[in-house]
Amino acid sequence: MFDTTSGLRGRTILTGDRPTGALHLGHLAGSLSLRVALQESNAQTVLVADLQALTDNAGQPAKVRSAVREVMLDYLAVGLDPAKTTFALQSGLPALAELTMLYMNLVTVPRLLRNPTIRTETEARGFAGGVPAGFLCYPVSQAADITAFDADLVPAGADQAPLIEQTNEIVEAVNRQAGTRVLRRIDHLAGAAPRLPGIDGLGKMSKSGGNAILLSDPPEEIRRKVMRMFTDPGHLRVEDPGRTEGNVVFALLEAFDPDRGEVERLAEQYRAGGLGDMVLKRRLDGILQELLRPIRERRAALAADPGAIDAVLRTGTELARGRTETVLDRVRDVFGLATRRTRRFDAPVFTALP
Ligand code: TRP
């Protein structure tokens, strides 16, 4: 699905998701296929950002906990390979929390309040009683995630651009304070795929919107969702001209139909009149069934052995622990704190000083 990755090799990539539920077609078209391509010739880590998920789900720890495994199943089912991609659990990496604490001194509250991603997300969530400090500060924690892996490339949706900009500001602030380059600047890879609409046509496909086709949906569920998908409410009779913009069936055909020429022809015929929604929906259902069957089957096989999934995440997290502690040491040094070389947690506090 992606050909934007051919020139990318030898980069250090960090990307991730908030585990709040199973992943859907929007993830597949957006981030997942890109990651599968990138893992071939880059050093890629995928972070399961459970602490970030808690910044707006603190009341639902059980949901976040079970979503960690769901998301891992989705990753492996779509072809992310533990031999090529490292999977790490955010809450298993204490260095990330400590880096967040240090970076918070380099960021002002007004700057966080101005962050466009935070603004839109705060509005959408409408936090009764005010925005939680943890949520307001999650861009700082995300900067910790990215820098802790010495990443120089973050593939993420266009909505994440303000977060990457804010990360680079923190990178500059640390380097300025150090008088040398302690942290690397980050490039954002925004991917070529447009955001998929939800099946109701009301917004983007999202877990919380209840308008998604999940990678784990059974065949009947996929079919049911395709059949009630939003098309063009003005297209009442087959012979009427129909609109393809805002038409979810066409958006999904454009994203997943391997026969581009045929989609173009169908769109022309639809706009001219004489093509019924049912024909298109049956075509889309066939394509999605074929696309999702192998993913669902691999996912079911993996789900039968939850211990193996947990082991993949544990191994990756342990590997990541050493790497993130190394970066933490460099940043602690900038702030005049003891580093691992001089610090001994079992020693009395004075011998732990630099
Ligand atoms: N903010 C991302 C999301 O909404 C998740 C995330 C956490 C992330 N840490 C990251 C993405 C680091 C890229 C890099 O799903």
Side-chain angles (χ1 to χ4, degrees):
M1 251 166 276
F2 277 94
D3 50 11
T4 50
T5 56
S6 40
L8 287 169
R9 46 196 333 109
R11 306 289 300 255
T12 304
I13 295 175
L14 190 276
T15 177
D17 297 288
R18 298 178 190 186
T20 54
L23 302 182
H24 53 68
L25 278 182
H27 295 109
L28 184 62
S31 53
L32 295 176
S33 10
L34 184 58
R35 293 174 191 175
V36 170
L38 288 169
Q39 72 180 345
E40 293 307 326
S41 15
N42 301 276
Q44 175 168 261
T45 302
V46 174
L47 187 71
V48 183
D50 57 346
L51 293 177
Q52 191 179 116
L54 288 173
T55 64
D56 62 343
N57 289 279
Q60 288 153 286
K63 176 176 95 172
V64 173
R65 196 187 162 88
S66 73
V68 169
R69 210 177 255 164
E70 295 298 316
V71 164
M72 281 299 295
L73 286 171
D74 288 325
Y75 288 158
L76 300 182
V78 300
L80 283 170
D81 176 355
K84 298 173 181 165
T85 292
T86 303
F87 299 94
L89 183 65
Q90 192 181 28
S91 64
L93 301 170
L96 301 183
E98 208 176 324
L99 280 172
T100 304
M101 197 73 195
L102 292 171
Y103 293 167
M104 283 214 260
N105 301 315
L106 306 172
V107 179
T108 66
V109 172
R111 173 67 183 89
L112 288 166
L113 289 168
R114 268 201 318 274
N115 184 312
T117 312
I118 291 293
R119 287 174 73 123
T120 8
E121 291 183 349
T122 305
E123 231 163 85
R125 282 160 183 74
F127 297 110
V131 55
F135 187 85
L136 182 65
C137 295
Y138 95 71
V140 184
S141 135
Q142 190 155 320
D145 301 343
I146 296 168
T147 54
F149 287 87
D150 264 329
D152 60 2
L153 187 70
V154 173
D159 62 314
Q160 300 281 303
L163 297 172
I164 291 166
E165 193 182 318
Q166 187 139 33
T167 300
N168 278 325
E169 287 174 22
I170 291 171
V171 166
E172 296 297 349
V174 169
N175 290 347
R176 207 177 313 117
Q177 170 132 347
T180 169
R181 211 190 68 157
V182 173
L183 299 176
R184 305 165 91 176
R185 280 187 64 87
I186 293 98
D187 295 326
H188 180 201
L189 177 64
R195 266 248 137 87
L196 290 189
I199 58 169
D200 54 9
L202 289 177
K204 61 175 191 178
M205 191 175 280
S206 73
K207 295 172 245 191
S208 51
N211 60 5
I213 296 182
L214 302 182
L215 301 180
S216 46
D217 273 343
E220 326 75 69
E221 182 73 3
I222 298 169
R223 190 172 169 74
R224 205 175 56 79
K225 287 177 178 173
V226 170
M227 290 310 153
R228 64 181 169 90
M229 207 168 263
F230 180 87
T231 57
D232 169 9
H235 185 234
L236 297 175
R237 288 165 309 181
V238 172
E239 57 277 19
D240 291 341
R243 288 167 52 89
T244 52
E245 319 85 73
N247 186 318
V248 180
V249 175
F250 272 103
L252 294 193
L253 285 173
E254 266 150 34
F256 299 112
D257 193 324
D259 189 346
R260 330 273 339 143
E262 181 62 11
V263 174
E264 204 34 62
R265 275 189 297 281
L266 290 168
E268 266 166 44
Q269 197 188 343
Y270 193 79
R271 286 191 284 259
L275 182 58
D277 282 357
M278 267 329 272
V279 177
L280 294 169
K281 286 186 168 176
R282 270 193 220 105
R283 180 181 180 90
L284 179 62
D285 180 56
I287 288 164
L288 294 183
Q289 296 293 355
E290 214 173 299
L291 175 71
L292 294 177
R293 190 192 324 105
I295 295 176
R296 189 177 50 245
E297 285 173 2
R298 267 197 303 274
R299 200 182 189 283
L302 291 160
D305 187 1
I309 292 284
D310 294 353
V312 168
L313 192 53
R314 194 174 327 111
T315 307
T317 305
E318 272 158 19
L319 183 74
R321 197 165 295 157
R323 295 175 58 191
T324 55
E325 300 261 320
T326 305
V327 175
L328 173 62
D329 259 359
R330 302 202 315 248
V331 177
R332 283 183 64 108
D333 197 40
V334 173
F335 284 96
L337 304 171
T339 64
R340 224 177 345 181
R341 278 188 305 282
T342 52
R343 188 168 32 139
R344 283 180 46 211
F345 288 113
D346 56 347
V349 69
F350 292 113
T351 55
L353 293 174

